[in-house]
Amino acid sequence: MLKKMLLIGLSLTALACQTPEQTQQTNMNEPQAIQLEGQYRNRTGVKSKISCYCFQAGELVDQKGEKTYLCWEGEEEAPRSCENIRVWGEYSSKTREEDPNSPCPPGEMRYFSVQKYECY
């Protein structure tokens, strides 16, 4: 009986000492990509409000009629023609200082920084 109890005790101790399998953890401080979709209009090279803050730009109008300015800040270019668009990214903002040599007024603009998109 003593041998049996020792064997059970050693077995339980061995199981308790095993390291648990590591699970993939996500960083809670890491921003998650937001998804937006709606009708799209390219604004690259067009004099519009967003062009003072971003060169590769567009506008997205959602089903509620709300307009969101889009900005492609990476290497990927904004699509030229795309009736509807789905974008993933995050909101950003930029501040422009007064510059007498620029036609753009000083101010701040909030826009959606596109990381990935899909035309449909």
Side-chain angles (χ1 to χ4, degrees):
M1 179 76 161
L2 184 59
K3 283 184 177 180
K4 204 175 205 182
M5 289 177 69
L6 271 170
L7 187 58
I8 291 173
L10 287 173
S11 297
L12 290 174
T13 304
L15 286 174
C17 291
Q18 286 184 341
T19 58
E21 288 183 33
Q22 288 187 342
T23 57
Q24 185 177 6
Q25 295 179 350
T26 57
N27 186 350
M28 297 307 282
N29 296 330
E30 190 174 300
Q32 299 295 314
I34 299 168
Q35 178 184 324
L36 302 176
E37 63 181 282
Q39 295 179 328
Y40 174 73
R41 187 175 4 189
N42 183 292
R43 286 296 187 217
T44 300
V46 175
K47 183 65 181 151
S48 68
K49 186 176 180 179
I50 186 66
S51 67
C52 287
Y53 297 88
C54 177
F55 178 72
Q56 295 282 340
E59 294 174 356
L60 180 147
V61 179
D62 67 15
Q63 290 180 340
K64 296 177 187 174
E66 294 178 18
K67 184 190 310 185
T68 301
Y69 289 110
L70 307 176
C71 183
W72 279 259
E73 296 180 302
E75 295 178 17
E76 192 167 12
E77 290 186 21
R80 293 283 179 191
S81 61
C82 184
E83 188 173 322
N84 294 296
I85 196 166
R86 188 173 293 120
V87 294
W88 292 267
E90 59 188 25
Y91 285 98
S92 296
S93 63
K94 246 183 212 175
T95 302
R96 287 191 47 81
E97 301 296 325
E98 177 106 31
D99 182 356
N101 299 321
S102 174
C104 295
E108 184 175 359
M109 174 173 261
R110 185 172 188 250
Y111 58 88
F112 191 81
S113 182
V114 178
Q115 297 167 354
K116 179 179 152 186
Y117 74 92
E118 173 184 279
C119 291
Y120 66 96

